[in-house]
Amino acid sequence: MHSKRTHPETSLNRTMGLFPAAAMVAGIILGASIFVQPSEIGRHVSSIPAMFGVWLAAGALTLCGALVCAELASAFPQTGGVYIFLKEGISPAAGFLWGWAMFWSVHSGIIAAIAVVFARYAGQFTPLGDTGIRVVAIGAILLLSGVNYLGVRLGSSVQTILTSAKVLAIALILILVFALAAPGQAAEQAPSAMELPPLRAFLLALIAGLFSFGGWHMVTYAAGETRDAEKTIPRALLIGTLVVTACYLGLNAAYLRVLPLSKLIASERVAADAASALVGAWGAAAISVLVIVSALGSLNGIILAGPRVYFAMAQDRLAFRWLGAVHPRHQTPHAAILLQALWSSALVATGTYRVLFTRVIYTEWLFFGLMALGLFRLRRRPGYAPAARVWGYPVAPLLFIVACAAIVINQIAEDPKESAFGLLLVAAGWPVYYFWSRRSAAQGASTHGHH
């Protein structure tokens, strides 16, 4: 069931090139978590080599997932990304459930959470109460949704600027740290710290690391608006993932050069603490600006990506037809952008995003595992002809499937009650899918060819 869409009124402009696409990958991944997450990892594995091992493993696994995504994007270079890959590789129901979970919790919850991080850091420069933080967060969502409403070219230009500023700022931190901090400023490690961490602790640390790499798949959602998507998307995924892994390893080396390991593990804002240890209060303020730019960059990329999935679902008659509308002048899925902005803002206003976000973050990995399984099924299908193929097939996709399974099983073991709720939320999409597919089939039969 190929879904090549040729209706002129429902196609989007292909205006995004390689550099903006790679900037989108790096910009979405390089969120605010790298300025927080190292202490999470340190809590599980308390030796420096093990911490770097975790970051390298997380980068390698993300690359395996990105390569799976790259092959699928080269075979199905349409708007919708993971939704299309699940629909083609597993079943239309799997694709629908991914879009369902994305809208109600995963994607909208991430938008709300990052907007709140942005607002909190903005609050360092001007005092904001709880209501003020929510107002600023909603303002950021509406502003960036407005930018993306006006066209993918404008959205991806803003993305390129924010990502470039972020990577430059990270480079500046690294130069400053290695120029100003005397080697050995950090406390020496205890000799016993060279022991290997237990596997369960390593797995928990790896999950924390993988969360810092979240969002790598989102560039595939805008494939329908990417020039020469078959080649551009795989290259963008590769460049973006490698840039991020290099930034993460560099930043961790910088943190550890300035802070003793025990302080790094105890810190809630690692980057700000490292900067203030190095150059005092203005360093922490400079880092806050960097976190603000990072949060905006991630937010913009995620706002750009999501509506393309809801657009693709509407095109397949699995959502309201008006969600598949294309703006006559700006050539963007404007109705889907608007709906996403409203729901994400509602999650900020009510504060419910935190519950949704923590409950459903691992369901993403359940779908990623299915996506990689779908690749094995597609490889056996006649007529499947991707322009790019996964390096190290079948090992890389198999490793990725094992990692996905480990994350999901670990999360269920860690918190069975919350996990059950997350899975129930996904399962609630089944009857909705059944209703839409029946309705779509009935419409198709009655109109037969009329669009």
Side-chain angles (χ1 to χ4, degrees):
M1 186 189 120
H2 265 270
S3 51
K4 291 282 180 203
R5 303 188 187 91
T6 51
H7 308 296
E9 76 276 19
T10 53
S11 64
L12 298 159
N13 269 355
R14 291 187 180 267
T15 54
M16 190 157 69
L18 175 62
F19 192 67
M24 185 172 167
V25 177
I28 289 176
I29 302 176
L30 274 175
S33 57
I34 183 59
F35 307 112
V36 184
Q37 215 69 344
S39 51
E40 286 293 314
I41 289 171
R43 234 164 269 158
H44 299 296
V45 295
S46 49
S47 81
I48 290 173
M51 283 178 74
F52 280 102
V54 167
W55 284 111
L56 274 172
L61 280 172
T62 300
L63 197 56
C64 288
L67 290 170
V68 168
C69 242
E71 174 173 328
L72 293 167
S74 78
F76 308 106
Q78 303 124 284
T79 293
V82 178
Y83 163 72
I84 303 280
F85 310 155
L86 286 165
K87 185 180 82 172
E88 298 286 353
I90 302 292
S91 73
F96 176 85
L97 291 176
W98 164 257
W100 168 266
M102 257 184 75
F103 180 75
W104 290 112
S105 58
V106 179
H107 205 80
S108 306
I110 290 170
I111 290 172
I114 293 174
V116 169
V117 168
F118 160 75
R120 279 198 193 128
Y121 272 89
Q124 293 212 317
F125 298 96
T126 170
L128 297 168
D130 191 44
T131 313
I133 285 173
R134 286 182 188 190
V135 169
V136 169
I138 291 170
I141 292 171
L142 297 178
L143 176 74
L144 291 173
S145 297
V147 166
N148 284 287
Y149 187 100
L150 296 175
V152 76
R153 184 173 282 169
L154 181 61
S156 64
S157 299
V158 169
Q159 190 61 44
T160 305
I161 292 163
L162 289 170
T163 304
S164 307
K166 205 182 318 192
V167 173
L168 275 173
I170 289 171
L172 196 66
I173 290 176
L174 299 181
I175 292 164
L176 271 175
V177 166
F178 290 101
L180 296 178
Q185 194 165 318
E188 290 303 306
Q189 269 190 278
S192 65
M194 292 307 290
E195 288 166 17
L196 284 173
L199 183 67
R200 181 160 167 74
F202 189 84
L203 256 182
L204 283 166
L206 183 62
I207 290 167
L210 285 167
F211 285 154
S212 295
F213 279 94
W216 46 269
H217 59 287
M218 288 182 196
V219 71
T220 62
Y221 297 167
E225 292 157 281
T226 306
R227 276 199 304 276
D228 200 7
E230 297 85 345
K231 293 197 183 98
T232 303
I233 301 270
R235 285 177 192 159
L237 281 162
L238 190 66
I239 295 167
T241 310
L242 291 174
V243 166
V244 172
T245 307
C247 285
Y248 282 4
L249 291 171
L251 277 171
N252 278 282
Y255 296 154
L256 287 163
R257 194 176 169 97
V258 179
L259 297 173
L261 188 61
S262 57
K263 195 164 178 187
L264 177 126
I265 292 168
S267 169
E268 285 194 355
R269 294 183 311 145
V270 181
D273 289 347
S276 88
L278 192 61
V279 287
W282 69 265
I287 289 292
S288 297
V289 173
L290 177 57
V291 174
I292 286 171
V293 174
S294 285
L296 281 177
S298 292
L299 196 59
N300 183 65
I302 295 166
I303 285 171
L304 187 151
R308 274 77 194 164
V309 175
Y310 318 135
F311 167 86
M313 289 170 75
Q315 296 275 291
D316 288 339
R317 297 185 177 178
L318 289 175
F320 294 110
R321 279 289 292 281
W322 52 266
L323 272 178
V326 175
H327 195 284
R329 200 167 114 232
H330 306 307
Q331 296 287 297
T332 51
H334 64 293
I337 292 172
L338 212 60
L339 190 68
Q340 173 183 266
L342 291 173
W343 180 239
S344 303
S345 299
L347 292 179
V348 172
T350 54
T352 46
Y353 71 89
R354 209 175 278 114
V355 183
L356 286 171
F357 183 56
T358 48
R359 272 177 183 161
V360 192
I361 195 81
Y362 70 93
T363 30
E364 260 197 331
W365 289 91
L366 185 68
F367 284 110
F368 290 159
L370 283 175
M371 177 182 80
L373 269 175
L375 178 73
F376 286 94
R377 291 185 65 188
L378 285 163
R379 283 273 183 119
R380 292 203 299 271
R381 184 189 291 178
Y384 172 71
R389 287 189 176 252
V390 174
W391 299 335
Y393 180 89
V395 180
L398 271 175
L399 271 176
F400 185 68
I401 291 170
V402 169
C404 291
I407 288 171
V408 174
I409 292 163
N410 198 63
Q411 183 73 32
I412 291 169
E414 196 79 1
D415 199 344
K417 207 168 88 183
E418 289 291 357
S419 304
F421 188 90
L423 292 171
L424 274 172
L425 189 81
V426 175
W430 269 110
V432 184
Y433 169 73
Y434 185 72
F435 164 76
W436 277 112
S437 54
R438 287 285 297 269
R439 187 179 162 190
S440 165
Q443 277 179 349
S446 68
T447 54
H448 195 69
H450 172 69
H451 191 75

Short mmCIF file of all heavy atoms in Angstrom, two decimals, residues 290-342:
data_model
loop_
_atom_site.label_atom_id
_atom_site.label_comp_id
_atom_site.label_asym_id
_atom_site.label_seq_id
_atom_site.Cartn_x
_atom_site.Cartn_y
_atom_site.Cartn_z
N LEU A 290 22.32 30.87 27.11
CA LEU A 290 22.52 29.72 26.22
C LEU A 290 21.37 28.71 26.34
O LEU A 290 20.88 28.19 25.34
CB LEU A 290 23.87 29.04 26.54
CG LEU A 290 24.20 27.77 25.75
CD1 LEU A 290 24.19 28.03 24.25
CD2 LEU A 290 25.56 27.22 26.17
N VAL A 291 20.92 28.47 27.57
CA VAL A 291 19.80 27.54 27.78
C VAL A 291 18.53 28.10 27.13
O VAL A 291 17.76 27.37 26.51
CB VAL A 291 19.57 27.26 29.29
CG1 VAL A 291 18.32 26.42 29.49
CG2 VAL A 291 20.77 26.53 29.88
N ILE A 292 18.35 29.42 27.22
CA ILE A 292 17.18 30.07 26.60
C ILE A 292 17.21 29.87 25.09
O ILE A 292 16.22 29.47 24.46
CB ILE A 292 17.13 31.56 26.98
CG1 ILE A 292 16.67 31.70 28.45
CG2 ILE A 292 16.20 32.35 26.06
CD1 ILE A 292 16.78 33.10 29.02
N VAL A 293 18.39 30.11 24.47
CA VAL A 293 18.53 29.93 23.01
C VAL A 293 18.32 28.45 22.66
O VAL A 293 17.66 28.13 21.67
CB VAL A 293 19.92 30.42 22.53
CG1 VAL A 293 20.13 30.09 21.05
CG2 VAL A 293 20.05 31.93 22.73
N SER A 294 18.88 27.55 23.47
CA SER A 294 18.73 26.11 23.23
C SER A 294 17.28 25.68 23.28
O SER A 294 16.80 24.94 22.42
CB SER A 294 19.48 25.31 24.30
OG SER A 294 20.85 25.38 24.05
N ALA A 295 16.59 26.16 24.32
CA ALA A 295 15.17 25.79 24.48
C ALA A 295 14.36 26.31 23.30
O ALA A 295 13.52 25.60 22.75
CB ALA A 295 14.64 26.34 25.80
N LEU A 296 14.64 27.56 22.88
CA LEU A 296 13.91 28.12 21.72
C LEU A 296 14.19 27.33 20.45
O LEU A 296 13.28 27.08 19.66
CB LEU A 296 14.30 29.59 21.51
CG LEU A 296 13.64 30.61 22.43
CD1 LEU A 296 14.17 32.01 22.14
CD2 LEU A 296 12.11 30.61 22.28
N GLY A 297 15.46 26.92 20.27
CA GLY A 297 15.82 26.14 19.08
C GLY A 297 15.10 24.81 19.03
O GLY A 297 14.54 24.41 18.01
N SER A 298 15.08 24.12 20.18
CA SER A 298 14.38 22.83 20.25
C SER A 298 12.89 23.03 20.01
O SER A 298 12.26 22.30 19.25
CB SER A 298 14.55 22.20 21.63
OG SER A 298 15.87 21.82 21.81
N LEU A 299 12.36 24.04 20.69
CA LEU A 299 10.92 24.31 20.60
C LEU A 299 10.50 24.60 19.17
O LEU A 299 9.52 24.04 18.67
CB LEU A 299 10.61 25.52 21.50
CG LEU A 299 9.16 25.76 21.88
CD1 LEU A 299 8.60 24.55 22.61
CD2 LEU A 299 9.05 26.98 22.79
N ASN A 300 11.28 25.42 18.47
CA ASN A 300 10.95 25.77 17.09
C ASN A 300 10.95 24.53 16.20
O ASN A 300 10.03 24.32 15.41
CB ASN A 300 11.93 26.82 16.55
CG ASN A 300 11.57 27.26 15.15
OD1 ASN A 300 10.54 27.87 14.91
ND2 ASN A 300 12.40 26.92 14.19
N GLY A 301 11.98 23.68 16.34
CA GLY A 301 12.07 22.47 15.51
C GLY A 301 10.92 21.52 15.77
O GLY A 301 10.38 20.90 14.86
N ILE A 302 10.55 21.38 17.05
CA ILE A 302 9.49 20.44 17.43
C ILE A 302 8.13 20.96 16.96
O ILE A 302 7.28 20.19 16.50
CB ILE A 302 9.53 20.17 18.95
CG1 ILE A 302 10.84 19.46 19.31
CG2 ILE A 302 8.36 19.32 19.40
CD1 ILE A 302 11.17 19.43 20.79
N ILE A 303 7.93 22.29 17.06
CA ILE A 303 6.68 22.89 16.57
C ILE A 303 6.59 22.73 15.05
O ILE A 303 5.52 22.45 14.51
CB ILE A 303 6.61 24.38 16.98
CG1 ILE A 303 6.27 24.48 18.49
CG2 ILE A 303 5.58 25.15 16.15
CD1 ILE A 303 6.38 25.88 19.08
N LEU A 304 7.72 22.84 14.36
CA LEU A 304 7.74 22.68 12.90
C LEU A 304 7.39 21.24 12.52
O LEU A 304 6.66 20.99 11.56
CB LEU A 304 9.14 23.06 12.37
CG LEU A 304 9.35 23.11 10.84
CD1 LEU A 304 10.45 24.13 10.52
CD2 LEU A 304 9.71 21.78 10.22
N ALA A 305 7.91 20.27 13.30
CA ALA A 305 7.79 18.86 12.91
C ALA A 305 6.39 18.27 13.09
O ALA A 305 5.86 17.61 12.20
CB ALA A 305 8.80 18.03 13.71
N GLY A 306 5.77 18.49 14.27
CA GLY A 306 4.53 17.80 14.63
C GLY A 306 3.37 17.90 13.66
O GLY A 306 2.79 16.88 13.26
N PRO A 307 3.02 19.13 13.23
CA PRO A 307 1.83 19.27 12.38
C PRO A 307 1.91 18.47 11.09
O PRO A 307 0.89 18.11 10.51
CB PRO A 307 1.79 20.77 12.08
CG PRO A 307 2.50 21.40 13.24
CD PRO A 307 3.58 20.42 13.61
N ARG A 308 3.14 18.15 10.63
CA ARG A 308 3.27 17.39 9.38
C ARG A 308 2.70 15.98 9.54
O ARG A 308 2.23 15.38 8.58
CB ARG A 308 4.74 17.32 8.96
CG ARG A 308 5.22 18.51 8.13
CD ARG A 308 5.47 19.75 8.93
NE ARG A 308 5.62 20.94 8.06
CZ ARG A 308 5.54 22.18 8.49
NH1 ARG A 308 5.28 22.42 9.77
NH2 ARG A 308 5.68 23.18 7.67
N VAL A 309 2.75 15.45 10.77
CA VAL A 309 2.19 14.11 11.01
C VAL A 309 0.67 14.16 10.98
O VAL A 309 0.01 13.33 10.35
CB VAL A 309 2.69 13.55 12.36
CG1 VAL A 309 2.03 12.21 12.67
CG2 VAL A 309 4.21 13.38 12.31
N TYR A 310 0.09 15.17 11.65
CA TYR A 310 -1.38 15.29 11.68
C TYR A 310 -1.90 15.59 10.27
O TYR A 310 -2.96 15.10 9.88
CB TYR A 310 -1.81 16.38 12.68
CG TYR A 310 -1.02 16.32 13.98
CD1 TYR A 310 -0.50 17.47 14.57
CD2 TYR A 310 -0.76 15.09 14.60
CE1 TYR A 310 0.26 17.40 15.74
CE2 TYR A 310 0.01 15.01 15.76
CZ TYR A 310 0.51 16.16 16.32
OH TYR A 310 1.27 16.10 17.46
N PHE A 311 -1.12 16.34 9.50
CA PHE A 311 -1.44 16.64 8.10
C PHE A 311 -1.49 15.33 7.30
O PHE A 311 -2.45 15.07 6.57
CB PHE A 311 -0.36 17.58 7.54
CG PHE A 311 -0.37 17.75 6.04
CD1 PHE A 311 -1.19 18.69 5.44
CD2 PHE A 311 0.46 16.98 5.23
CE1 PHE A 311 -1.19 18.85 4.04
CE2 PHE A 311 0.47 17.14 3.86
CZ PHE A 311 -0.36 18.08 3.26
N ALA A 312 -0.45 14.49 7.47
CA ALA A 312 -0.39 13.21 6.73
C ALA A 312 -1.55 12.29 7.11
O ALA A 312 -2.13 11.61 6.27
CB ALA A 312 0.95 12.51 7.00
N MET A 313 -1.94 12.31 8.41
CA MET A 313 -3.06 11.47 8.85
C MET A 313 -4.37 11.94 8.22
O MET A 313 -5.20 11.13 7.82
CB MET A 313 -3.17 11.51 10.39
CG MET A 313 -2.04 10.76 11.07
SD MET A 313 -2.02 11.05 12.85
CE MET A 313 -3.41 10.04 13.36
N ALA A 314 -4.53 13.27 8.13
CA ALA A 314 -5.75 13.81 7.51
C ALA A 314 -5.78 13.46 6.02
O ALA A 314 -6.84 13.18 5.46
CB ALA A 314 -5.81 15.32 7.71
N GLN A 315 -4.60 13.46 5.38
CA GLN A 315 -4.51 13.09 3.96
C GLN A 315 -4.95 11.64 3.76
O GLN A 315 -5.52 11.29 2.74
CB GLN A 315 -3.06 13.24 3.48
CG GLN A 315 -2.54 14.65 3.51
CD GLN A 315 -2.90 15.41 2.26
OE1 GLN A 315 -2.40 15.13 1.18
NE2 GLN A 315 -3.78 16.37 2.38
N ASP A 316 -4.66 10.80 4.76
CA ASP A 316 -5.05 9.39 4.69
C ASP A 316 -6.46 9.15 5.23
O ASP A 316 -6.85 8.02 5.50
CB ASP A 316 -4.05 8.53 5.48
CG ASP A 316 -2.70 8.43 4.79
OD1 ASP A 316 -2.65 8.65 3.56
OD2 ASP A 316 -1.70 8.13 5.47
N ARG A 317 -7.17 10.26 5.47
CA ARG A 317 -8.54 10.21 6.00
C ARG A 317 -8.63 9.50 7.35
O ARG A 317 -9.58 8.76 7.62
CB ARG A 317 -9.48 9.52 4.99
CG ARG A 317 -9.58 10.29 3.70
CD ARG A 317 -10.59 9.66 2.78
NE ARG A 317 -10.74 10.45 1.56
CZ ARG A 317 -11.52 10.10 0.57
NH1 ARG A 317 -12.24 9.01 0.65
NH2 ARG A 317 -11.62 10.86 -0.51
N LEU A 318 -7.61 9.72 8.18
CA LEU A 318 -7.63 9.14 9.53
C LEU A 318 -7.70 10.25 10.58
O LEU A 318 -7.40 10.05 11.75
CB LEU A 318 -6.39 8.27 9.76
CG LEU A 318 -6.37 6.95 8.98
CD1 LEU A 318 -5.07 6.22 9.18
CD2 LEU A 318 -7.55 6.06 9.39
N ALA A 319 -8.06 11.44 10.13
CA ALA A 319 -8.29 12.57 11.04
C ALA A 319 -9.21 13.52 10.29
O ALA A 319 -9.51 13.30 9.11
CB ALA A 319 -6.97 13.25 11.39
N PHE A 320 -9.66 14.59 10.95
CA PHE A 320 -10.56 15.54 10.29
C PHE A 320 -9.92 16.07 9.01
O PHE A 320 -8.74 16.42 9.00
CB PHE A 320 -10.89 16.70 11.22
CG PHE A 320 -11.68 16.28 12.42
CD1 PHE A 320 -11.11 16.29 13.69
CD2 PHE A 320 -13.00 15.84 12.29
CE1 PHE A 320 -11.84 15.88 14.80
CE2 PHE A 320 -13.74 15.44 13.39
CZ PHE A 320 -13.15 15.45 14.65
N ARG A 321 -10.73 16.14 7.95
CA ARG A 321 -10.21 16.60 6.66
C ARG A 321 -9.54 17.96 6.76
O ARG A 321 -8.53 18.22 6.11
CB ARG A 321 -11.36 16.68 5.64
CG ARG A 321 -11.73 15.36 5.00
CD ARG A 321 -10.68 14.86 4.02
NE ARG A 321 -10.56 15.67 2.82
CZ ARG A 321 -11.40 15.61 1.78
NH1 ARG A 321 -12.42 14.75 1.81
NH2 ARG A 321 -11.22 16.37 0.73
N TRP A 322 -10.11 18.87 7.60
CA TRP A 322 -9.56 20.23 7.68
C TRP A 322 -8.14 20.27 8.23
O TRP A 322 -7.40 21.21 7.99
CB TRP A 322 -10.48 21.16 8.47
CG TRP A 322 -10.89 20.68 9.83
CD1 TRP A 322 -12.01 19.98 10.15
CD2 TRP A 322 -10.17 20.83 11.06
NE1 TRP A 322 -12.05 19.70 11.49
CE2 TRP A 322 -10.93 20.22 12.08
CE3 TRP A 322 -8.96 21.45 11.41
CZ2 TRP A 322 -10.52 20.18 13.41
CZ3 TRP A 322 -8.56 21.42 12.73
CH2 TRP A 322 -9.33 20.80 13.72
N LEU A 323 -7.71 19.20 8.94
CA LEU A 323 -6.33 19.14 9.43
C LEU A 323 -5.35 18.97 8.28
O LEU A 323 -4.17 19.24 8.41
CB LEU A 323 -6.15 17.98 10.42
CG LEU A 323 -6.45 18.28 11.88
CD1 LEU A 323 -6.28 17.03 12.71
CD2 LEU A 323 -5.56 19.39 12.41
N GLY A 324 -5.86 18.49 7.14
CA GLY A 324 -5.00 18.31 5.96
C GLY A 324 -4.98 19.52 5.05
O GLY A 324 -4.46 19.46 3.94
N ALA A 325 -5.55 20.63 5.54
CA ALA A 325 -5.60 21.84 4.70
C ALA A 325 -4.21 22.47 4.58
O ALA A 325 -3.43 22.49 5.54
CB ALA A 325 -6.57 22.84 5.33
N VAL A 326 -3.90 22.98 3.38
CA VAL A 326 -2.65 23.70 3.13
C VAL A 326 -2.98 25.17 2.92
O VAL A 326 -3.90 25.50 2.17
CB VAL A 326 -1.93 23.13 1.88
CG1 VAL A 326 -0.69 23.94 1.54
CG2 VAL A 326 -1.57 21.68 2.09
N HIS A 327 -2.25 26.05 3.60
CA HIS A 327 -2.51 27.49 3.46
C HIS A 327 -2.23 27.92 2.02
O HIS A 327 -1.17 27.63 1.48
CB HIS A 327 -1.61 28.28 4.42
CG HIS A 327 -2.06 29.70 4.61
ND1 HIS A 327 -1.83 30.67 3.65
CD2 HIS A 327 -2.72 30.31 5.62
CE1 HIS A 327 -2.34 31.81 4.08
NE2 HIS A 327 -2.88 31.62 5.28
N PRO A 328 -3.20 28.61 1.37
CA PRO A 328 -3.03 28.93 -0.05
C PRO A 328 -1.77 29.77 -0.34
O PRO A 328 -1.13 29.58 -1.37
CB PRO A 328 -4.30 29.71 -0.40
CG PRO A 328 -4.93 30.07 0.91
CD PRO A 328 -4.48 29.06 1.91
N ARG A 329 -1.40 30.65 0.61
CA ARG A 329 -0.25 31.51 0.34
C ARG A 329 1.04 30.98 0.96
O ARG A 329 2.08 30.94 0.31
CB ARG A 329 -0.53 32.93 0.84
CG ARG A 329 0.40 33.93 0.16
CD ARG A 329 0.00 35.36 0.36
NE ARG A 329 1.00 36.04 1.15
CZ ARG A 329 0.75 36.74 2.24
NH1 ARG A 329 -0.48 36.86 2.67
NH2 ARG A 329 1.71 37.34 2.90
N HIS A 330 0.97 30.53 2.21
CA HIS A 330 2.20 30.14 2.91
C HIS A 330 2.59 28.68 2.66
O HIS A 330 3.68 28.27 3.03
CB HIS A 330 2.05 30.38 4.41
CG HIS A 330 1.66 31.79 4.74
ND1 HIS A 330 2.35 32.88 4.28
CD2 HIS A 330 0.63 32.29 5.48
CE1 HIS A 330 1.78 34.00 4.73
NE2 HIS A 330 0.71 33.66 5.44
N GLN A 331 1.66 27.91 2.05
CA GLN A 331 1.94 26.50 1.74
C GLN A 331 2.33 25.68 2.98
O GLN A 331 3.22 24.84 2.93
CB GLN A 331 3.07 26.40 0.69
CG GLN A 331 2.73 27.00 -0.65
CD GLN A 331 1.74 26.11 -1.42
OE1 GLN A 331 2.04 24.98 -1.77
NE2 GLN A 331 0.56 26.62 -1.68
N THR A 332 1.70 25.97 4.12
CA THR A 332 1.97 25.22 5.35
C THR A 332 0.69 24.52 5.81
O THR A 332 -0.41 24.98 5.49
CB THR A 332 2.43 26.17 6.48
OG1 THR A 332 1.49 27.25 6.59
CG2 THR A 332 3.81 26.73 6.20
N PRO A 333 0.82 23.42 6.59
CA PRO A 333 -0.38 22.78 7.15
C PRO A 333 -0.91 23.64 8.30
O PRO A 333 -0.76 23.30 9.47
CB PRO A 333 0.15 21.42 7.63
CG PRO A 333 1.60 21.62 7.88
CD PRO A 333 2.06 22.73 6.97
N HIS A 334 -1.52 24.77 7.97
CA HIS A 334 -1.82 25.81 8.97
C HIS A 334 -2.83 25.37 10.03
O HIS A 334 -2.69 25.71 11.20
CB HIS A 334 -2.28 27.10 8.29
CG HIS A 334 -3.56 26.97 7.53
ND1 HIS A 334 -3.66 26.20 6.40
CD2 HIS A 334 -4.79 27.50 7.72
CE1 HIS A 334 -4.90 26.27 5.93
NE2 HIS A 334 -5.60 27.04 6.72
N ALA A 335 -3.82 24.57 9.65
CA ALA A 335 -4.82 24.13 10.63
C ALA A 335 -4.18 23.22 11.68
O ALA A 335 -4.45 23.35 12.88
CB ALA A 335 -5.96 23.40 9.92
N ALA A 336 -3.28 22.33 11.22
CA ALA A 336 -2.59 21.42 12.15
C ALA A 336 -1.66 22.19 13.08
O ALA A 336 -1.54 21.86 14.26
CB ALA A 336 -1.81 20.36 11.35
N ILE A 337 -1.00 23.23 12.55
CA ILE A 337 -0.10 24.06 13.37
C ILE A 337 -0.90 24.75 14.48
O ILE A 337 -0.49 24.78 15.64
CB ILE A 337 0.65 25.11 12.50
CG1 ILE A 337 1.65 24.40 11.56
CG2 ILE A 337 1.38 26.14 13.37
CD1 ILE A 337 2.30 25.30 10.51
N LEU A 338 -2.07 25.26 14.10
CA LEU A 338 -2.93 25.99 15.04
C LEU A 338 -3.44 25.06 16.15
O LEU A 338 -3.40 25.41 17.33
CB LEU A 338 -4.12 26.56 14.26
CG LEU A 338 -4.70 27.88 14.75
CD1 LEU A 338 -3.67 28.99 14.74
CD2 LEU A 338 -5.90 28.28 13.89
N LEU A 339 -3.91 23.88 15.76
CA LEU A 339 -4.45 22.93 16.73
C LEU A 339 -3.37 22.49 17.73
O LEU A 339 -3.61 22.43 18.94
CB LEU A 339 -5.02 21.70 16.00
CG LEU A 339 -5.82 20.74 16.89
CD1 LEU A 339 -7.12 21.38 17.36
CD2 LEU A 339 -6.13 19.44 16.15
N GLN A 340 -2.17 22.22 17.22
CA GLN A 340 -1.05 21.82 18.07
C GLN A 340 -0.71 22.93 19.07
O GLN A 340 -0.48 22.67 20.25
CB GLN A 340 0.18 21.50 17.22
CG GLN A 340 1.44 21.23 18.02
CD GLN A 340 2.64 20.98 17.12
OE1 GLN A 340 2.96 19.85 16.80
NE2 GLN A 340 3.33 22.04 16.73
N ALA A 341 -0.70 24.18 18.58
CA ALA A 341 -0.39 25.33 19.45
C ALA A 341 -1.41 25.45 20.58
O ALA A 341 -1.05 25.67 21.74
CB ALA A 341 -0.35 26.62 18.62
N LEU A 342 -2.69 25.26 20.25
CA LEU A 342 -3.75 25.39 21.25
C LEU A 342 -3.67 24.29 22.30
O LEU A 342 -3.76 24.57 23.49
CB LEU A 342 -5.13 25.38 20.56
CG LEU A 342 -5.45 26.61 19.71
CD1 LEU A 342 -6.75 26.42 18.93
CD2 LEU A 342 -5.53 27.88 20.57
#
